[in-house]
Amino acid sequence: MKKIVFLTGAGMSVESGFKTFRGSDGLWENYPVEQVATHEGWLADPELVTNFYNMLRRKLYAAQPNEGHRLVAQLQDQYDVTVITQNVDNLHEKAGSRNVIHLHGELTKVCSSRDQFDPRYVQELDEAHCEVTPGTRAGDGSLLRPFIVFFGESVPMIEPAVDEVQQADVFIIIGTSLNVYPAAGLVQYARPQTPIYLIDPADVPNSSRRKIHHIQKGASEGMRELMEIFKK
């Protein structure tokens, strides 16, 4: 079975009405990212940050996957599919994707602020209990914080992502500008013979020296075109 690896960014979820903080304007839902997506912001005002992510979680639970998410999941019927996403939403999972690597964390989870990757203290929040009361503590006594990789923090899931890309028979990039590192560097790990497709409506400069087939459309329309290419 052929292996398809996707790398998805903010443009994947835009049709679902859900924004992510890797935008070019430095704002996330009108908050400066320094305030809500950095370790310094968390230390300065954990209550503000906790309430911000409570608001985002409510928005996420109201959002639905778009056709692009559903078509990615549909490919699992014929291919071994891995999705690597820069997004913190769970829309790929909602659409049915089974193998998803989250590079920047997961909005539906909270964790210890002493060691966010200690699995003993990572908790999944369901829709009925998606809000965290500011001041709530994790099992190790530290404040419960969003399970989000803040700007400037290490990205531990990049290594499993590299492993997947190295094994890909086809590599497909959707809705990311290829200038957010370390994710943008994943292109370099695709094998020389692996075809690479980019679905994005914008002009995306290609500095990788790899031939990239650019489908200049949004996520859903671009995925429809790609499905037709795969049928040929």
Side-chain angles (χ1 to χ4, degrees):
M1 188 181 275
K2 271 192 170 181
K3 184 176 185 65
I4 298 180
V5 176
F6 284 89
L7 171 64
T8 66
M12 186 80 228
S13 297
V14 73
E15 292 171 41
S16 296
F18 195 78
K19 293 181 185 174
T20 72
F21 59 78
R22 302 275 160 171
S24 57
D25 56 6
L27 296 175
W28 193 11
E29 297 290 353
N30 300 317
Y31 284 79
V33 291
E34 294 82 10
Q35 220 172 36
V36 294
T38 63
H39 187 64
E40 294 73 21
W42 165 255
L43 292 176
D45 197 341
E47 182 171 346
L48 170 78
V49 175
T50 297
N51 285 328
F52 173 78
Y53 288 90
N54 285 340
M55 175 270 291
L56 271 193
R57 258 180 239 112
R58 290 194 300 271
K59 285 195 168 201
L60 175 56
Y61 280 117
Q64 294 302 320
N66 58 56
E67 187 184 2
H69 290 110
R70 291 192 293 272
L71 289 173
V72 168
Q74 193 178 308
L75 284 170
Q76 294 173 134
D77 297 340
Q78 298 165 275
Y79 303 94
D80 173 9
V81 177
T82 297
V83 177
I84 301 163
T85 186
Q86 296 168 269
N87 299 338
V88 297
D89 61 57
N90 64 349
L91 296 173
H92 279 297
E93 288 92 339
K94 269 188 176 178
S97 287
R98 294 185 290 270
N99 189 13
V100 183
I101 294 173
H102 285 269
L103 293 178
H104 296 150
E106 298 176 66
L107 182 54
T108 57
K109 296 179 179 178
V110 287
C111 60
S112 155
S113 52
R114 188 171 299 144
D115 178 3
Q116 76 233 57
F117 296 102
D118 188 328
R120 294 175 296 173
Y121 308 120
V122 177
Q123 302 173 34
E124 178 103 32
L125 303 176
D126 61 31
E127 187 168 359
H129 307 92
C130 68
E131 296 194 29
V132 175
T133 304
T136 304
R137 304 261 164 192
D140 62 357
S142 69
L143 283 177
L144 211 52
R145 65 161 262 186
F147 188 60
I148 299 290
V149 175
F150 290 148
F151 281 98
E153 293 182 332
S154 64
V155 182
M157 294 308 291
I158 197 69
E159 289 177 16
V162 166
D163 290 344
E164 294 291 332
V165 174
Q166 287 174 329
Q167 299 171 52
D169 295 306
V170 183
F171 187 37
I172 302 163
I173 302 157
I174 305 178
T176 179
S177 61
L178 291 182
N179 61 12
V180 175
Y181 284 83
L186 288 172
V187 173
Q188 307 298 341
Y189 293 97
R191 291 175 294 192
Q193 72 274 23
T194 299
I196 301 173
Y197 294 89
L198 169 66
I199 297 172
D200 197 290
D203 287 316
V204 177
N206 175 15
S207 58
S208 71
R209 298 184 193 162
R210 294 293 301 269
K211 183 181 179 186
I212 296 178
H213 308 272
H214 188 181
I215 298 172
Q216 205 159 355
K217 294 179 177 175
S220 294
E221 198 180 353
M223 273 303 296
R224 283 199 296 272
E225 183 169 321
L226 190 69
M227 298 293 259
E228 289 303 315
I229 292 169
F230 280 4
K231 285 177 188 172
K232 291 175 184 173

